[in-house]
Amino acid sequence: MLVQTRLGTHTQFMESLSPSEARAYLKAFDRWLMGENPRATDQDYYWRSVLRGCFFPNRKREEADLKRAATLAPDNVDVWVSLGHMAAERKRWAEAVEYYEAGIAAMPDNFFPWYGRAMAYQALGRYDEALEDINTAIAIHPDLAYGYETRGRIHDELGMLEKAADLDFAARCSAATPSTQRYRDELRRRLRRKRSLDW
């Protein structure tokens, strides 16, 4: 089943839908995918999962659709990243790492699975590995504002306040959140205190 998107990204398309349009899409997917339609593709299962997640959350069914999509197309990086995000939301970090690794294997030049695995490693306290992954994500996508924020936070965890200056770049980006700016300001204060104590 072909999804006709009016806007470019998945997020933009979902934001363009009204609840009634989303319900109509979901019903169409449900009819198309009934009985494991042999003509169904990974994209069909993936898009049904995205629709559910945005409008009618049902984590068990979303996950089942994503796993079916992964079976049909193991090279679909979006599916692995989505599974990684779902595992991360549940704080199942080791599982999230496995999904992100599958995404990296599927498309190593896509920054999302590197970024996701960096976040999972950070949550596990594996900061050196997190730093390697976030550096790779930033090398792939140098304008990744939240990548610089994450790297700043990892440097902070490692006690490398001077290197946490990445937050300056992140805070200047249009995608920066107020929490990014507050965290940047807090780190600046801590760095000033550290420097004054060093003197």
Side-chain angles (χ1 to χ4, degrees):
M1 189 176 98
L2 182 65
V3 176
Q4 297 294 333
T5 60
R6 283 171 278 182
L7 295 165
T9 68
H10 299 160
T11 303
Q12 289 170 327
F13 175 59
M14 288 299 146
E15 288 174 350
S16 77
L17 293 178
S18 68
S20 60
E21 289 172 319
R23 193 170 288 107
Y25 266 118
L26 189 57
K27 284 181 181 175
F29 274 116
D30 287 344
R31 284 193 302 272
W32 175 249
L33 296 172
M34 193 175 295
E36 292 194 4
N37 181 345
R39 292 185 295 157
T41 69
D42 60 303
Q43 289 296 312
D44 296 325
Y45 288 99
Y46 172 72
W47 276 101
R48 184 167 71 172
S49 173
V50 172
L51 274 166
R52 279 195 201 287
C54 290
F55 291 94
F56 316 102
N58 181 327
R59 290 301 187 218
K60 193 175 273 190
R61 294 182 76 179
E62 289 167 48
E63 187 175 20
D65 275 349
L66 288 169
K67 286 183 174 178
R68 179 71 179 140
T71 301
L72 290 171
D75 61 343
N76 186 331
V77 68
D78 292 331
V79 170
W80 294 117
V81 168
S82 296
L83 283 166
H85 289 350
M86 288 186 78
E89 282 171 14
R90 299 172 189 166
K91 302 193 185 312
R92 288 162 28 185
W93 302 114
E95 186 180 331
V97 166
E98 288 180 20
Y99 287 135
Y100 292 129
E101 283 174 352
I104 290 166
M107 190 178 286
D109 59 348
N110 186 303
F111 72 90
F112 266 122
W114 293 101
Y115 171 76
R117 193 172 69 172
M119 297 289 285
Y121 280 152
Q122 184 182 9
L124 289 166
R126 293 164 62 176
Y127 300 118
D128 290 335
E129 291 160 290
L131 195 54
E132 283 181 32
D133 278 3
I134 202 63
N135 283 338
T136 302
I138 290 170
I140 293 167
H141 191 335
D143 299 321
L144 187 64
Y146 48 90
Y148 290 97
E149 177 176 355
T150 300
R151 188 163 70 182
R153 290 178 183 273
I154 294 167
H155 280 135
D156 182 24
E157 296 280 0
L158 289 168
M160 304 161 87
L161 283 179
E162 291 83 357
K163 290 193 174 182
D166 276 334
L167 284 154
D168 285 335
F169 177 82
R172 287 194 305 270
C173 291
S174 59
T177 63
S179 66
T180 303
Q181 293 164 344
R182 283 193 300 273
Y183 186 56
R184 185 268 318 266
D185 294 342
E186 176 202 330
L187 280 189
R188 280 181 174 171
R189 284 192 295 273
R190 284 167 50 199
L191 187 56
R192 280 196 299 271
R193 281 199 303 272
K194 180 179 182 293
R195 284 174 175 160
S196 67
L197 289 171
D198 288 344
W199 282 95

